[in-house]
Amino acid sequence: MRGDEKRVSIFSCHVHPDGSRIATGGLDAKVRIWSTKPILNHASELSGRPPKSLSTLTMHTGPVLVVRWAHSGRWLASGSDDEIVMIWDLDPTARGKVWGSDEVNVEGWKPLKRLVGHESDVTDVSWSPGDRYLASVGLDSAVLIWCGFTLERLRKIDQHQGFVKGVCWDPVGEFLATGSDDRSVRIWRTTDWELEAEVRKPFDHSPGTFFRRLSWSPDGAHITASNATNNEGYVFIAAVIARNSWTSEISLVGHENTVEVAAYNPHIFLRDPSQAVTAPNICSVVALGADDRAVSVWQTKAPRPLIVAKDVFERQIMDLSWSKDGLSLYAVSSDGTMAVFSFDVTELEGIAPLSAQDHYLKRFGFVPPPLPNGFSHQIPPDAAKAQNSRITPPPSPRSQNQEFGSATPAPARAGGEQINTLIAKRKPKKRIQPTFAGSLSGAVPSSSTNGIKSIPSSKPASAHPGAPSRAFQESSNSIPILVPTTSALPLSVSQPFGDSVSGFGLGLHTGETSDDFAMDLDGEVHISSLETFGQSSKGKRKAADETDDRIATKARTLGGDKVRENIPVRPITSRGASAMSISALLAEGSGVAGRLEPPQLVTYLKATVEGSEDIFEGRNAEGDDPPEVIFVSGKQTQWLDYLPSPILALAATSAFCAVAMQDGSLNVYSHTGRRLIPTLSLGVPCHAIAGSKNMLLALTVSGMLYVWDVRKQLAKFTPASISPILSASPNLTIISVAVRPNGAPVIQLSDGVTHSYDPSLLSWTKLSEPWWAEGSDAWQGRQRTSQSAARGPVAIVEGAISERMAVDSSRAEKVRPAWWSAALTLGHLESKLHAAKALDSPQEYKQALLLYAKRIADEGFRAKAEELAKELFGPVYWRPNRDDSWSPTTLGMSKRDLLKEVLSIFTRSKTLTKLGQDWQDVVKKSQSGE
């Protein structure tokens, strides 16, 4: 690239397994291979030994979107807009000047094979463990599986309904994961290449991005997928998907724009290095790159990131790659630059040797398929020994007797691609300052500051898995940096970067997390942006020498220095007079007077924040001290507040904390202690409060029900009285009160009936009741399922009814009418469909719909089947954006897609086959018309 040319976007990077070189691919349709030593070591860059630019590969005819080294280091795979996956192999005869340019190849690489099969851009490729397979994905929505030895195509998977933009392998070798623009991550079995699971929930509202690069943790336990969102698309996250259950209950929250790429550190980490390598003792380190130009690094045992680097790039991050030793992270951006983040072993605490990972993965018991006859990726021993004396980084192993000439510097080229090195070290009272390590353009010295200290972290040419330690030899007079690999490193309780990272506001939350997190990147990030050419070294030294109290000391918090005392829970009776006067007031003109009592006043209350271990405490003094609420995180008081009235109840969610007081007031706080909405005056005390995500529910002793959306600061509906559901019997009492994330209240009464309030109908509705258990074959107590741990809200409601009412005990003793079972089953399923919609449970809605369709088909009820088909199909001539009178979706699912599944049930039945076939023809005609 010439100095007067604009920097070319870089779309991908990947470090060679031996750490000596890194490959990049970009908009100029070239694959470039660079030596990592000049990138990590300034002295090496100035000396030109080894040269920074090793090779430029020019066989692609379109932008190169992905580059990936094989685990053996023998081959390099690249994918491009030209629809080709290219496999490159080392060629000792191909050194010399690059055709049509001034560049010189120090190393020669030749195209070994062109893998043809994709019909559009190839966006990602990945080698399986042991290089048994190569997977490639692209904008043709296809996933292609190639043999990692013969390079022949083995399988084509075309079940995605959108562009596929990410792929990764399970380190065990049992599964393959792909991420697509159809807003799903799909898991495929490698034994038969069939679908194992489909994950959709965290991607329902994900926007379009260039890539959806995902990564599998080295212990095989989790997949971290990019381009996920929470809160209906308002919060950008990376979703952590658990193995086997294939659910995403953990979110990495904090980036201001879409997460483009996730990359796990190749090493497993131990929470306690003195303990054995077992599942509870294992954690991982994962890096995220996003469209907000920030890179964050997380350790899964901590709720906040290890580091956050902002303003390193001018445009979005396109790819991330860890070195095999786990101490260097490379990132590339569409602005045409690369940054390197180097870590000390003390900063990535608990790092375990790769041998520990290999031993741990054997516990899964998965046996990979045999290799093709006569093929192996093992390095010949003589070739490994021959690499010791080379000045240049060791070439990829190919045969025993290859010999290569000494390195020659590449011609000087000014203004080339820029390499930024970010060295993240913990230095008390010092601002963490990145250093610049020159330009990515050959052997031309850069204008960066002299005396830069770099952290060598690459493996030497002679390193091999059996070596007890690794040393990176910088020069003839330097001291090797030894990194022990035979024992685990000591684990520190403190965060590697102190409390400074908390300013970024990223948090590890379970479930759908709120967008109420601190995102003050400008003021709190202590990894400074890289210096430009125009800045002087004097200015850099001044910034580096500047003290930063925020790193030297803990962040100041309201009440953080207060000693927390353990308070026994005791009832308080000294204030009973006020409660008596309140009950007398309620006795006048209230339909539920005296039936709803305020909670017992006690000395201590607490609520655990959903999805974390943070605690929201309330304390009522028995003397004259004012009541107080305290928010505690990790045994540290984050903030406190004093209240004018005794505390009756608490609620805490991932978005807010709420406290109900005896005088009828309600305070709502953020997790930093800010009042999110004004103090609410309800006039009378609360009988109960509940929260879920952004929703807060309050039920007063006068029987008025309130639900608010705290984030939007809006009421979900006009306050409603619960008198209609309590007036059926004077003995009815409320057993439980809850609220769903969509704002639907859930109230269970002592007669077993569970109600919700529908604002559109201005009426209370029954979600479920014991009546259905008397005769419905679909009652959950009789549906034997192995997925009880992942039950939906409707199943939970029915389970609570079964446990409370013991409804099955006398069913067999009663004589029922002839149509009893059919009538109650259909009625129950119809009620269950409405309940699933009210509680926003799409999976349960779909399950109930298909059971309903099957029962209709079994009974041969043609009229019901016809009506159901019409309801799901909608108007015959309906077209998107032309007619808003009919909604084509329900709970985020296409009604016509649901109809297709219903019709497949009808066509397999004995009585509704013709009806199903006729409607299938109607659906096909409507699709062709669209």
Side-chain angles (χ1 to χ4, degrees):
M1 187 188 305
R2 299 185 183 278
D4 56 352
E5 292 180 341
K6 186 178 180 181
R7 286 202 303 257
V8 175
S9 295
I10 304 176
F11 294 132
S12 184
C13 67
H14 200 231
V15 186
H16 192 276
D18 66 13
S20 65
R21 54 171 67 72
I22 184 170
T24 60
L27 188 63
D28 58 359
K30 297 177 181 178
V31 176
R32 300 176 185 270
I33 300 176
W34 315 86
S35 174
T36 56
K37 188 173 182 180
I39 298 173
L40 297 171
N41 184 275
H42 186 57
S44 176
E45 181 192 25
L46 294 177
S47 69
R49 297 188 63 184
K52 185 180 295 182
S53 177
L54 297 179
S55 189
T56 301
L57 315 180
T58 58
M59 290 296 291
H60 281 294
T61 59
V64 179
L65 303 182
V66 59
V67 289
R68 294 290 183 262
W69 294 100
H71 297 287
S72 66
R74 174 176 179 175
W75 290 337
L76 172 67
S78 60
S80 166
D81 269 13
D82 60 10
E83 307 175 4
I84 299 298
V85 176
M86 194 80 73
I87 306 298
W88 305 87
D89 196 8
L90 193 64
D91 183 4
T93 66
R95 299 190 304 271
K97 191 172 181 180
V98 178
W99 174 263
S101 74
D102 296 330
E103 297 174 301
V104 173
N105 283 343
V106 178
E107 272 185 358
W109 291 81
K110 66 179 181 181
L112 179 67
K113 191 167 185 177
R114 298 168 74 251
L115 306 186
V116 181
H118 282 285
E119 299 174 359
S120 190
D121 307 0
V122 179
T123 54
D124 207 4
V125 300
S126 181
W127 296 89
S128 71
D131 299 329
R132 181 64 182 86
Y133 303 107
L134 173 69
S136 61
V137 299
L139 301 189
D140 57 357
S141 304
V143 181
L144 300 186
I145 310 298
W146 313 83
C147 176
F149 297 83
T150 65
L151 301 178
E152 298 297 325
R153 194 173 89 181
L154 303 178
R155 186 83 175 205
K156 180 178 181 179
I157 304 172
D158 55 1
Q159 296 182 32
H160 275 292
Q161 304 301 313
F163 302 150
V164 188
K165 296 181 176 179
V167 60
C168 68
W169 291 89
D170 164 23
V172 180
E174 188 178 5
F175 301 108
L176 171 73
T178 54
S180 168
D181 273 359
D182 63 8
R183 295 177 175 175
S184 73
V185 167
R186 304 194 183 195
I187 319 297
W188 314 91
R189 295 186 294 272
T190 59
T191 52
D192 57 3
W193 305 112
E194 294 298 325
L195 183 65
E196 170 74 11
E198 181 179 9
V199 184
R200 284 193 173 273
K201 182 178 179 181
F203 312 101
D204 287 342
H205 301 278
S206 61
T209 52
F210 214 97
F211 298 110
R212 290 176 179 261
R213 303 199 197 273
L214 64 170
S215 183
W216 211 304
S217 65
D219 62 347
H222 299 96
I223 304 168
T224 294
S226 59
N227 199 359
T229 60
N230 277 347
N231 291 353
E232 299 181 347
Y234 288 95
V235 181
F236 301 100
I237 67 168
V240 182
I241 301 169
R243 188 191 188 97
N244 294 330
S245 69
W246 309 119
T247 56
S248 175
E249 301 297 334
I250 302 175
S251 304
L252 303 180
V253 186
H255 281 284
E256 291 182 307
N257 209 331
T258 315
V259 178
E260 195 92 31
V261 53
Y264 271 97
N265 189 300
H267 288 256
I268 61 175
F269 291 75
L270 302 180
R271 299 172 186 269
D272 184 354
S274 64
Q275 300 298 318
V277 182
T278 58
N281 194 34
I282 288 178
C283 62
S284 303
V285 170
V286 63
L288 305 179
D291 288 352
D292 62 359
R293 300 171 296 163
V295 174
S296 60
V297 179
W298 305 71
Q299 194 161 23
T300 54
K301 69 178 181 180
R304 292 179 175 85
L306 295 175
I307 67 164
V308 177
K310 187 198 174 191
D311 294 334
V312 177
F313 299 104
E314 298 172 0
R315 297 179 66 184
Q316 69 263 42
I317 285 79
M318 288 298 187
D319 205 2
L320 299 168
S321 179
W322 289 91
S323 58
K324 192 172 183 179
D325 64 7
L327 298 178
S328 295
L329 172 66
Y330 296 76
V332 294
S333 166
S334 58
D335 66 3
T337 63
M338 176 192 294
V340 187
F341 305 81
S342 296
F343 298 85
D344 283 337
V345 291
T346 56
E347 292 164 344
L348 295 180
E349 298 169 329
I351 190 169
L354 292 175
S355 58
Q357 178 199 13
D358 296 338
H359 180 72
Y360 177 80
L361 294 180
K362 291 179 181 178
R363 302 182 183 182
F364 286 84
F366 179 77
V367 179
L371 303 183
N373 291 332
F375 286 86
S376 173
H377 278 310
Q378 299 298 319
I379 306 174
D382 294 342
K385 294 179 181 178
Q387 294 172 1
N388 289 345
S389 60
R390 292 203 179 92
I391 297 175
T392 57
S396 301
R398 186 175 177 228
S399 64
Q400 284 187 315
N401 301 319
Q402 284 184 347
E403 292 294 335
F404 301 93
S406 61
T408 56
R413 290 177 296 137
E417 295 173 337
Q418 179 178 337
I419 283 284
N420 299 326
T421 302
L422 199 65
I423 299 177
K425 297 183 66 177
R426 175 168 45 189
K427 295 183 179 180
K429 298 187 179 181
K430 292 288 185 179
R431 184 185 300 274
I432 300 172
Q433 193 74 11
T435 56
F436 176 74
S439 62
L440 199 89
S441 57
V444 181
S446 70
S447 58
S448 59
T449 310
N450 293 331
I452 294 176
K453 296 180 180 179
S454 64
I455 302 177
S457 59
S458 298
K459 290 169 60 178
S462 59
H464 57 87
S469 64
R470 298 189 294 271
F472 189 97
Q473 198 72 28
E474 294 188 75
S475 59
S476 59
N477 59 353
S478 65
I479 299 175
I481 306 297
L482 296 177
V483 181
T485 60
T486 56
S487 62
L489 299 173
L491 181 64
S492 171
V493 175
S494 63
Q495 292 283 340
F497 292 89
D499 292 333
S500 62
V501 176
S502 64
F504 183 65
L506 280 82
L508 184 65
H509 304 285
T510 61
E512 300 225 352
T513 24
S514 77
D515 60 348
D516 179 35
F517 48 82
M519 287 294 290
D520 185 13
L521 293 177
D522 296 330
E524 292 295 327
V525 177
H526 307 308
I527 296 184
S528 307
S529 56
L530 296 170
E531 314 292 11
T532 59
F533 287 111
Q535 291 178 305
S536 66
S537 60
K538 180 179 179 181
K540 293 181 184 179
R541 285 194 296 271
K542 182 178 179 181
D545 294 336
E546 181 181 332
T547 61
D548 191 340
D549 293 335
R550 293 171 297 184
I551 296 182
T553 61
K554 292 183 177 180
R556 181 175 170 82
T557 61
L558 181 62
D561 56 348
K562 181 177 179 180
V563 178
R564 293 181 60 221
E565 300 176 353
N566 292 327
I567 298 179
V569 180
R570 290 193 299 267
I572 299 178
T573 57
S574 60
R575 296 171 184 169
S578 60
M580 291 293 292
S581 62
I582 291 171
S583 298
L585 174 66
L586 294 177
E588 301 177 2
S590 174
V592 293
R595 300 175 65 177
L596 298 180
E597 295 290 339
Q600 171 69 52
L601 197 62
V602 294
T603 55
Y604 178 81
L605 308 89
K606 77 171 184 177
T608 302
V609 176
E610 59 180 6
S612 76
E613 297 180 357
D614 296 343
I615 297 174
F616 185 48
E617 296 180 347
R619 304 184 179 206
N620 292 314
E622 294 181 282
D624 296 330
D625 293 338
E628 62 178 338
V629 287
I630 303 174
F631 188 83
V632 181
S633 178
K635 299 184 179 180
Q636 171 72 27
T637 297
Q638 299 301 314
W639 57 269
L640 58 78
D641 193 17
Y642 298 104
L643 303 175
S645 179
I647 301 166
L648 290 179
L650 302 174
T653 76
S654 57
F656 65 85
C657 302
V659 53
M661 290 169 275
Q662 195 178 55
D663 64 357
S665 299
L666 194 65
N667 280 0
V668 183
Y669 304 91
S670 72
H671 286 182
T672 62
R674 293 176 55 249
R675 283 174 169 78
L676 294 176
I677 56 179
T679 298
L680 302 172
S681 295
L682 305 182
V684 292
C686 288
H687 170 73
I689 63 174
S692 179
K693 303 300 183 286
N694 293 304
M695 299 300 163
L696 172 63
L697 174 148
L699 176 62
T700 68
V701 293
S702 62
M704 296 303 294
L705 180 78
Y706 303 80
V707 176
W708 300 276
D709 185 327
V710 173
R711 181 171 64 86
K712 297 180 179 179
Q713 299 189 19
L714 293 173
K716 293 297 289 183
F717 49 80
T718 303
S721 172
I722 64 167
S723 177
I725 62 175
L726 284 180
S727 59
S729 170
N731 299 320
L732 277 180
T733 58
I734 293 178
I735 302 302
S736 65
V737 178
V739 65
R740 289 283 296 159
N742 66 338
V746 181
I747 298 180
Q748 185 182 14
L749 303 182
S750 56
D751 62 356
V753 182
T754 303
H755 297 267
S756 185
Y757 185 79
D758 191 332
S760 60
L761 298 176
L762 294 178
S763 176
W764 288 93
T765 61
K766 290 184 178 181
L767 296 175
S768 191
E769 55 185 319
W771 170 251
W772 301 124
E774 296 295 323
S776 172
D777 295 333
W779 183 256
Q780 70 91 28
R782 287 185 285 277
Q783 298 294 312
R784 306 302 178 192
T785 174
S786 60
Q787 299 179 348
S788 58
R791 293 189 303 170
V794 179
I796 292 174
V797 166
E798 293 187 353
I801 293 174
S802 293
E803 293 173 6
R804 181 168 183 80
M805 308 305 294
V807 291
D808 285 340
S809 59
S810 61
R811 178 174 183 256
E813 302 174 4
K814 297 180 181 179
V815 178
R816 301 298 189 182
W819 289 96
W820 175 261
S821 176
L824 262 69
T825 300
L826 291 176
H828 173 223
L829 289 172
E830 290 164 355
S831 176
K832 197 169 184 178
L833 288 171
H834 293 301
K837 289 182 69 174
L839 301 183
D840 194 22
S841 179
Q843 293 303 318
E844 287 184 303
Y845 180 88
K846 182 176 179 179
Q847 180 187 34
L849 177 66
L850 299 182
L851 285 174
Y852 183 65
K854 187 176 188 308
R855 189 55 184 254
I856 291 175
D858 291 343
E859 298 289 348
F861 295 151
R862 182 181 180 87
K864 286 182 179 288
E866 183 84 28
E867 188 175 64
L868 177 62
K870 289 180 179 178
E871 178 184 318
L872 293 175
F873 184 78
V876 176
Y877 297 104
W878 181 87
R879 294 293 183 272
N881 303 321
R882 296 184 190 178
D883 184 3
D884 296 332
S885 61
W886 179 74
S887 174
T889 62
T890 180
L891 298 178
M893 299 179 291
S894 169
K895 289 182 179 178
R896 292 187 176 179
D897 287 346
L898 292 174
L899 176 60
K900 293 177 184 177
E901 297 192 46
V902 169
L903 295 179
S904 67
I905 294 175
F906 288 170
T907 55
R908 292 196 300 268
S909 69
K910 297 179 180 179
T911 57
L912 300 180
T913 303
K914 182 65 167 58
L915 175 69
Q917 292 173 346
D918 291 344
W919 271 102
Q920 284 180 337
D921 292 340
V922 172
V923 172
K924 289 178 182 178
K925 290 178 181 178
S926 68
Q927 289 178 332
S928 61
E930 290 176 359

